[in-house]
Amino acid sequence: QSVLTQPPSASGTPGQRVTISCSGSSSNIGTNRVNWYQQLPGTAPKLLIYRNDQRPSGVPDRFSGSMSGTSASLAISGLQSDDEADYYCAAWDDSLHGRVFGGGTKLTVL
Amino acid sequence: EVYLVESGGGLIEPGGSLRLSCAASGFTFSTHTMNWVRQAPGKGLEWVSYISQSSGTIYYADSVKGRFTVSRDNAKNSLYLQMNSLRAEDTAVYYCAKIAGTTGADYWGQGTLVTVSS
């Protein structure tokens, strides 16, 4: 059972907009910034969003992040076939004194 | 270019010990906090340990507390994870990672597989 809660799966068709949610608590998302990662099979996670809504250089603006209260969201617009991957949210937890990850969301492009 | 290269993984029997290493290059290692993150086969990411720049602050996940020890050698640009009393549930790919905080600097190694089995 992950501290941050994500839906296990999400799907969309090419060109569509998909949103993945991440629910936490006051000790993690409510206090600290959220990162979002994309992981392709057999590879290390790649940072998509940091500080809730900031994109590292090189990440397309099709990816966007938002945060409200103790929840965060990752939105992917103009869905492409190579967006098919696992997506994870992460934040520092002040009560656990550690970083917590969501359980991951497997995105399928239909 | 930034590189994080883990080594030291392998097959180990339950109760055994293993030491993972992570060699860093391409960035100023000594000025960044570092982490170990693991991923069991077919499962999600699990944070394992955090170490501050000068090793003054260290945290562990409850699942490894008392069995794993993180350390670093800034002179050698290296991060370590000493794993003792290994269990089957410690089987995972172990990544060393500099995780983005205020800036978008986020670096991960390719991971090293640890398999705990008799």
Side-chain angles (χ1 to χ4, degrees), chain A residues 31-100:
Chain A
T31 307
N32 299 300
R33 293 149 177 168
V34 177
N35 292 349
W36 285 94
Y37 293 90
Q38 177 193 62
Q39 188 178 34
L40 299 171
T43 69
K46 172 191 172 184
L47 183 69
L48 291 178
I49 298 290
Y50 68 102
R51 290 180 67 183
N52 299 329
D53 58 8
Q54 301 298 300
R55 268 188 316 276
S57 60
V59 173
D61 60 7
R62 301 187 298 106
F63 295 90
S64 62
S66 62
M67 190 277 289
S68 178
T70 58
S71 293
S73 293
L74 172 71
I76 309 172
S77 60
L79 204 59
Q80 300 177 359
S81 58
D82 55 5
D83 293 334
E84 198 161 275
D86 293 324
Y87 292 84
Y88 296 90
C89 57
W92 187 263
D93 191 296
D94 289 341
S95 295
L96 297 175
H97 296 294
R99 188 162 298 274
V100 290

Side-chain angles (χ1 to χ4, degrees), chain B residues 68-79:
Chain B
F68 289 12
T69 302
V70 64
S71 62
R72 64 191 295 164
D73 185 335
N74 288 338
K76 294 183 177 180
N77 290 334
S78 293
L79 177 71

Side-chain angles (χ1 to χ4, degrees), chain B residues 13-67:
Chain B
E13 291 188 348
S17 297
L18 215 51
R19 188 194 195 209
L20 305 183
S21 299
C22 172
S25 61
F27 68 107
T28 309
F29 178 77
S30 62
T31 64
H32 293 286
T33 62
M34 294 295 295
N35 297 266
W36 287 98
V37 177
R38 69 183 181 183
Q39 187 169 35
K43 302 296 184 182
L45 301 170
E46 179 189 14
W47 171 81
V48 172
S49 183
Y50 162 102
I51 185 168
S52 64
Q53 294 90 329
S54 61
S55 305
T57 301
I58 288 173
Y59 298 119
Y60 298 99
D62 285 346
S63 57
V64 307
K65 204 171 293 182
R67 300 187 299 122

